Amino acid sequence: MSLLHFAVLLPFLYTVFVPLFFKKLPRVHTGWFVLIVPLLLFVYFAAQFPLRSGSAPLFQSLSWIPSLGIRFDLHLDGLSMLFALIITGIGFLVIVYSIYYMSKEREALHNFYIYLLVFMGAMLGIVLSDNLMVLYVFWEATSVSSFLLIAYWFQRKRSRYGAQKAMLITVTGGFAMLLGFLMLGSAAGTFSIREIVAMKEVIVNDSLFIPAMLLVLLGAFTKSAQFPFHIWLPDAMEAPTPISAYLHSATMVKAGVYLVARMTPVFGGHMSWFWIITIIGIVTLFWGAFMAIRQFDLKALLAYSTISQLGLIMSLLGIGSLALHTNYEAQAMLFSGAILAAVFHLFNHSIFKGSLFMVVGILDHETGTRDIRKLGGLLSLMPVSFSLTIIGGLSMAGLPPFSGFLSKEMFFTGVLTAYQHIDQWVVLLPIVAWLASVFTFVYCLVFVFKTFTGTYRPERLDKKPHEAPAGMLVSPIVLATLVLVIFFFPNLISYTLLEPAMRSVLPSLLQPGEVFEVDIKPWHGFNTELFMTVGIVVMGSLLYKTYKKWSDIYYNLPRKFDFNHMYDKGLTGAERLSARVTNFYMNGFLHSYLSYIFTFVIIVVGGSFLLQRAFAIDPSTNAVIEWHEYLLAVSIAVSSGFVLFVNSRLTSIIGVGAVGYLVSLLFVIFRAPDLALTQLVVETITTALFLLCFYFLPKLKTEVVRIRVKVSNLLISIGVGTVFTLIGISAQSTNPFKPISHFFLNSYELSGARNMVNSILVDFRAFDTMLESVVLFTAGIGVYTLINLRKSRREKR
Amino acid sequence: METLMTITAGVLFTVGTYLILSKTLLRIIMGMSLFTHGVHIMLMAINGLKRGAAPLLGEEAESYTDPVPQALILTSIVISFSLTAFSLVLAYRTYKEHGTDDVEQLRGQEND
């Protein structure tokens, strides 16, 4: 247990105290007490900083389930560091923001902060785990905490719907990913990511390589809301806004990106890895940007924008993975630029999207709505929020002087590199990327101008808007400042954060001690990238102005291809199907249930005997049979068969009684005097009881059953009889164990009893007999109660 | 002898199962009763029959039959007796309360 382990577990441990703070100190907002956790963690991770330039990553080992090869190993390298700082840094700002956003009088804050801390710990666990199984556990923990946070206002139907949707989609992907991990583990013989990377050569040639890749990608794509699994993210916006800012834009949805980056050293360099990720990423980029424009809810707009931006990062990771491909060794450094762009944009997106979400939260808080049809003209009322939106929005659109511009340019460089070095038709890649960026520009304009300019219509708002309190503005201001600072001084983070992260994605490209050359600058001269950006501004402004004319295409999209529609249909269909299947066999008929049980016995017990060839018939040791014994056996069979065919109650009771008495005669022949005596007594009482029922119960009817049911009953009965007979005969014919009965020959010395059976019952196994008496007694009470109690109560009435 | 007894037990199992699968409560209870008899006979038969004297040391015989299955069966006889008695009274009570002894009519609905 090292300090690094403690860092991951700290948020989990701290949850224990949160309810105490909430209950005992209700005057102070619980958030203030929680704030210390991300602060401590941020400082701790920042203190690990001298990771730069070739120093070895931090590795801490802890044994967990050694027999399964599962070790709680943590590994802090450049990529983990980037994520850990984002998780704790944004986490800190989000909690500060939430203190002003979440009312301490009205909300169940302890739940909120417990879920948040669980998420924070789980997310740190994902990015620090070296073991795939541990990573999976944390992965699902983030899904669960995300579910709880989306459904935080569980009174609302939309919240529950969104939470369920997010859960179903991400957990399904998680399961696929687990399967992929198991395949990887079996191919490599270890679950350690570092060892798997080291064994890349073995894994690539394994037959499970492609299936494992696809399954792992399914997990990554569902988590990072990639097309067509993106549909859960807009519905997840039902969560409180600090959560949307934290989980659903800055951190959790980037877990899929993290996984892809982490797995690049294993799968990267394979063409299918490149194609799948790049195509899915670019389609997501386009579709998200396209759909964002039509949204009226500001949060939904940001959700689609997040989807789109995640697609951008994904596609960059896809392109960058080619740096590991043997055919492109000469261009490896060019392609590695895409990885740099990916990690850089990941960082940028976290800061500008975080601040934008916080601004939307402020708008919601101050005006009572997030609907852009109601908002407008807030510029003079909320100038600070406006400035923040300009910074965040234009950074998102990829304009200078904001950090988004830098990574956007690098993105264009990436897609252009791919086009230049792969194939002619890959020209589609930069074209789609450019179109998507045009749409991105349009929705950024929608966000900024529809909210803050235009006519101010106070009658449509629930509250009288004014600027937010300072506490709520602090966090977005910090983030927006970062956006500006990074633009002017990108090299503040280039060798400290970005290059080490890049090195963990592409470790094999470097010799020990080498570093990637990372020089980010805003001005590259008049190149294609710059013209693309200019084109975006021109085309985007044009589209924004003419939006009314082309907005019809949104309403003419075929409903059949709406993925939400498919999801809903699929869900109700699955529910109906499972209800139908369940109702089919759970039909309430005792007869059916008993039939299942008997059939199961026949098939499973009989079948496994058959398969194991366990049936053995060896009559050589049988005792001789006397003629009266034949007579007894036949009489038993006849009297029992008799019960089947008569309809008179009395006759069938006599038949059952006859079997009982005949069995007691058998016991005499079997040299079991005690049994014979007991059986005689019991049979007499039982017959008397049967006769009592005969007196009270109605006459037996000829049962009207369909011939099909009759035949199936007969078959089941014969099956049961045959299977048990065969098992019985086989059991006689084989004697795998030595009998223990010789021990009881000493019963006189041990217990002073000459009757061995009796000494077993009352001495050697006395507890059994005592409990048996309890059963008898209980049954007696039951009989008495059932006969008397209700009668007396009814009489009283 | 053992094989013959096992087959007899098998007949009891068959009849018992068939009765248990029927609709009338009384028949179901009779089926259970027959099933138990089958089990007892089979337990005896598995162990081998007529190998020595009754397990009473007073007999002072060369060998005795195995006392363990006998002790088991003795327990079983008593337990199954309790079960039969209780089921019978339950059937009687059910008939009194619901006016039928047909288990198909006795099935409850989930929404009841």
Side-chain angles (χ1 to χ4, degrees), chain B residues 19 23 29 36 38 56 62 100:
Chain B
L19 287 174
K23 293 181 193 169
I29 298 167
T36 330
L56 305 168
E62 282 284 302
T100 177

Side-chain angles (χ1 to χ4, degrees), chain A residues 156-295:
Chain A
R156 302 180 185 172
K157 193 164 173 258
R158 295 293 309 171
S159 296
R160 297 196 301 269
Y161 172 79
Q164 187 198 30
K165 198 175 194 177
M167 182 81 167
L168 284 177
I169 294 179
T170 54
V171 168
T172 309
F175 271 129
M177 187 186 81
L178 175 64
L179 211 60
F181 284 175
L182 290 172
M183 288 178 175
L184 263 185
S186 86
T190 170
F191 286 125
S192 160
I193 296 174
R194 297 190 316 160
E195 287 166 29
I196 289 175
V197 170
M199 293 176 67
K200 193 189 169 186
E201 305 306 318
V202 184
I203 296 164
V204 169
N205 297 319
D206 198 283
S207 56
L208 289 176
F209 181 73
I210 294 288
M213 175 200 290
L214 295 177
L215 288 168
V216 169
L217 280 181
L218 200 60
F221 289 163
T222 48
K223 196 80 166 176
S224 279
Q226 296 295 293
F227 186 88
F229 309 111
H230 63 277
I231 50 169
W232 69 266
L233 194 57
D235 286 307
M237 292 300 136
E238 293 299 323
T241 302
I243 295 309
S244 308
Y246 190 36
L247 269 71
H248 302 125
S249 81
T251 52
M252 189 184 85
V253 287
K254 297 214 169 77
V257 173
Y258 169 79
L259 187 72
V260 169
R262 185 52 88 202
M263 288 291 145
T264 298
V266 184
F267 295 113
H270 199 278
M271 270 329 241
S272 38
W273 176 260
F274 158 73
W275 284 121
I276 295 170
I277 296 176
T278 311
I279 290 174
I280 293 279
I282 212 90
V283 169
T284 311
L285 165 66
F286 178 81
W287 189 250
F290 180 66
M291 292 304 282
I293 300 173
R294 70 169 285 191
Q295 305 303 320

Side-chain angles (χ1 to χ4, degrees), chain A residues 436-726:
Chain A
S437 305
V438 171
F439 288 123
T440 308
F441 187 76
V442 176
Y443 73 68
C444 291
L445 292 186
V446 169
F447 186 17
V448 176
F449 292 116
K450 290 266 164 86
T451 318
F452 289 99
T453 61
T455 42
Y456 169 53
R457 283 163 296 198
E459 73 281 0
R460 293 196 183 181
L461 305 176
D462 302 336
K463 295 177 182 172
K464 190 167 164 38
H466 50 79
E467 191 56 87
M472 238 170 152
L473 288 168
V474 169
S475 300
I477 287 174
V478 170
L479 291 172
T481 317
L482 259 180
V483 171
L484 282 170
V485 169
I486 298 294
F487 177 80
F488 289 107
F489 309 100
N491 291 324
L492 273 181
I493 57 167
S494 59
Y495 279 103
T496 47
L497 265 184
L498 303 181
E499 196 276 337
M502 204 178 155
R503 219 183 318 139
S504 0
V505 183
L506 303 168
S508 56
L509 282 190
L510 293 176
Q511 300 299 322
E514 270 188 327
V515 288
F516 284 104
E517 196 181 316
V518 178
D519 185 22
I520 305 169
K521 49 179 191 261
W523 181 248
H524 297 88
F526 291 101
N527 54 7
T528 326
E529 290 88 327
L530 188 68
F531 290 124
M532 281 169 92
T533 304
V534 173
I536 287 167
V537 175
V538 174
M539 188 71 191
S541 312
L542 213 66
L543 280 180
Y544 177 70
K545 282 285 166 206
T546 56
Y547 176 66
K548 287 236 161 57
K549 290 194 180 122
W550 57 273
S551 62
D552 276 354
I553 54 167
Y554 287 114
Y555 303 101
N556 295 330
L557 289 174
R559 199 168 142 65
K560 235 189 283 176
F561 298 112
D562 182 1
F563 292 101
N564 279 310
H565 182 64
M566 284 190 218
Y567 167 84
D568 293 339
K569 276 266 175 270
L571 201 62
T572 47
E575 275 171 5
R576 216 176 303 137
L577 184 73
S578 69
R580 235 156 78 199
V581 170
T582 311
N583 290 338
F584 172 70
Y585 67 88
M586 298 296 285
N587 54 8
F589 287 112
L590 189 63
H591 171 260
S592 313
Y593 301 157
L594 287 169
S595 303
Y596 305 147
I597 296 173
F598 285 128
T599 316
F600 181 83
V601 167
I602 297 170
I603 292 175
V604 174
V605 178
S608 53
F609 260 73
L610 261 183
L611 285 179
Q612 302 284 323
R613 298 170 194 285
F615 286 123
I617 297 176
D618 176 21
S620 58
T621 55
N622 273 3
V624 283
I625 316 174
E626 314 255 343
W627 64 271
H628 62 272
E629 292 162 0
Y630 272 119
L631 196 68
L632 271 176
V634 172
S635 321
I636 288 178
V638 170
S639 356
S640 67
F642 189 64
V643 181
L644 278 186
F645 295 105
V646 291
N647 279 325
S648 147
R649 289 169 296 172
L650 194 58
T651 331
S652 36
I653 289 169
I654 289 173
V656 175
V659 174
Y661 287 119
L662 287 167
V663 168
S664 64
L665 273 181
L666 271 185
F667 285 145
V668 175
I669 294 169
F670 294 159
R671 319 270 156 83
D674 300 293
L675 296 190
L677 285 173
T678 319
Q679 180 71 37
L680 268 176
V681 174
V682 162
E683 204 50 49
T684 310
I685 304 175
T686 313
T687 311
L689 270 171
F690 267 111
L691 287 174
L692 176 89
C693 285
F694 158 75
Y695 185 75
F696 286 109
L697 285 177
K699 281 193 178 135
L700 286 178
K701 289 183 292 262
T702 323
E703 294 193 356
V704 197
V705 278
R706 274 173 298 165
I707 193 79
R708 205 160 52 90
V709 180
K710 245 181 189 163
V711 170
S712 88
N713 282 357
L714 194 67
L715 283 178
I716 291 173
S717 323
I718 291 175
V720 169
T722 318
V723 166
F724 278 126
T725 311
L726 287 175

Side-chain angles (χ1 to χ4, degrees), chain A residues 90 93-94 97 101 237 240-246 248-250 254 292 297-307 309 345 347-365 369-370 372 375 382 384-399 402-404 440-449 451-452 468 472-483:
Chain A
I90 306 260
L93 294 174
V94 161
Y97 177 78
Y101 188 85
M237 292 300 136
T241 302
I243 295 309
S244 308
Y246 190 36
H248 302 125
S249 81
K254 297 214 169 77
D297 182 357
L298 282 176
K299 271 179 94 175
L301 186 149
L302 285 186
Y304 275 103
S305 130
T306 305
I307 292 168
Q309 302 281 317
H345 196 74
F347 179 81
N348 282 338
H349 178 253
S350 292
I351 54 178
F352 70 65
K353 191 55 71 62
S355 81
L356 283 177
F357 264 111
M358 288 177 189
V359 172
V360 170
I362 290 172
L363 288 169
D364 195 6
H365 212 257
T369 182
R370 304 190 303 250
I372 46 176
L375 294 167
M382 304 171 82
V384 183
S385 304
F386 174 71
S387 319
L388 292 170
T389 312
I390 284 284
I391 296 173
L394 296 187
S395 179
M396 180 156 77
L399 294 189
F402 308 106
S403 64
T440 308
F441 187 76
V442 176
Y443 73 68
C444 291
L445 292 186
V446 169
F447 186 17
V448 176
F449 292 116
T451 318
F452 289 99
M472 238 170 152
L473 288 168
V474 169
S475 300
I477 287 174
V478 170
L479 291 172
T481 317
L482 259 180
V483 171

Side-chain angles (χ1 to χ4, degrees), chain B residues 9 17 19 21 24 35 38 43 46 48 52 63 81-82 94 107-108 110:
Chain B
T17 312
L19 287 174
L21 287 174
T24 324
F35 213 97
L43 267 177
I46 284 177
S63 65
F81 164 65
S82 331
T94 311
R107 76 194 177 116
E110 242 171 66

